[in-house]
Amino acid sequence: GPGHRAPSRRAEGPRRVTDRRTALLVAAVDEIARNGTRGLRIEGVAKRAGVSPALIYHHFGDRSTLLQSALEHIGEQANAYTEHIEGNSRENLLAGLIDEIQDEVSVRTNSAAWGELRDTAIFDQGLRPTIAALTQRWVADIADLIRSGQHDGSIAVALDPEEMGVRLSALVEGISARWLTGILTTEQARAHLTAMAVAMLGPARR
């Protein structure tokens, strides 16, 4: 999902400006994950990135734009580490959902930052369009896998792909929040997520 996946391992491109901007966004996401949006200060991001605050202002203008850009950066990483396995679409869907919860620093960081930005959007309407767009993209990705599973026979055709996308992505967000706060261990979170997703998908066709 938008908030739960690790940073992309793909090359960011040859331009130094792009690399510098990406490094600043990585620092901002890390700062949000550690201190929340209310605790986010331009100076703190600059210190974490090892640059002057003036450079942050140069690239992003103000704190609000930095928050928006950090949210978009998380969204751009969406498909980076959820590896497709050699299996049918149902197996790939379940594996992708479970991989949203991993004992990796980058996964926890992006998950925490996504959750913080999503919750901030309750009060900050400026973030809502981006949260909505990224969530809808996540829902659409799940829906595509459901359709593929209906085509290969691994998922029942009676299921509505978009409805399942909404429900499964919301399930991941809820389980992930309890995992991040330590209410559930990684093993418990993955087990609950698997059991609930399997129950929602129903029995495998073949």
Side-chain angles (χ1 to χ4, degrees):
H4 306 281
R5 300 185 178 180
S8 174
R9 297 187 180 95
R10 291 171 296 182
E12 294 291 342
R15 291 186 304 159
R16 183 174 295 177
V17 171
T18 301
D19 291 342
R20 174 59 60 85
R21 189 176 190 276
T22 299
L24 297 178
L25 288 172
V26 169
V29 169
D30 199 42
E31 194 74 7
I32 291 166
R34 291 174 183 271
N35 301 312
T37 54
R38 290 185 180 182
L40 181 75
R41 299 289 179 269
I42 296 288
E43 293 74 17
V45 175
K47 184 176 180 181
R48 187 172 294 279
V51 301
S52 69
L55 190 65
I56 308 277
Y57 286 111
H58 169 73
H59 279 281
F60 302 103
D62 57 24
R63 183 179 177 279
S64 176
T65 303
L66 178 62
L67 279 179
Q68 186 79 27
S69 299
L71 183 53
E72 291 167 354
H73 175 74
I74 292 171
E76 288 168 5
Q77 313 311 309
N79 296 315
Y81 77 85
T82 309
E83 301 279 340
H84 280 272
I85 61 172
E86 293 298 322
N88 58 36
S89 296
R90 178 193 181 91
E91 292 165 344
N92 272 306
L93 173 59
L94 289 171
L97 293 172
I98 295 163
D99 275 352
E100 301 283 0
I101 295 171
Q102 297 184 43
D103 276 324
E104 294 280 345
V105 172
S106 54
V107 177
R108 285 184 179 272
T109 297
N110 274 0
S111 291
W114 168 260
E116 175 67 19
L117 286 160
R118 182 200 59 225
D119 291 348
T120 300
I122 296 171
F123 306 102
D124 182 351
Q125 293 192 14
L127 288 174
R128 289 187 182 183
T130 304
I131 285 284
L134 293 174
T135 302
Q136 187 52 47
R137 187 191 306 168
W138 186 13
V139 168
D141 288 344
I142 294 173
D144 285 344
L145 273 172
I146 300 249
R147 286 190 198 91
S148 180
Q150 289 170 332
H151 181 73
D152 69 27
S154 62
I155 296 176
V157 294
L159 295 177
D160 182 289
E162 277 72 28
E163 284 186 359
M164 291 303 299
V166 171
R167 294 171 187 173
L168 288 168
S169 59
L171 171 64
V172 169
E173 284 191 316
I175 294 286
S176 180
R178 294 194 177 185
W179 166 61
L180 288 168
T181 53
I183 296 170
L184 295 173
T185 66
T186 300
E187 293 72 23
Q188 288 171 332
R190 288 169 70 96
H192 284 305
L193 181 54
T194 301
M196 294 171 76
V198 167
M200 291 165 69
L201 288 171
R205 294 289 297 276
R206 53 178 160 91

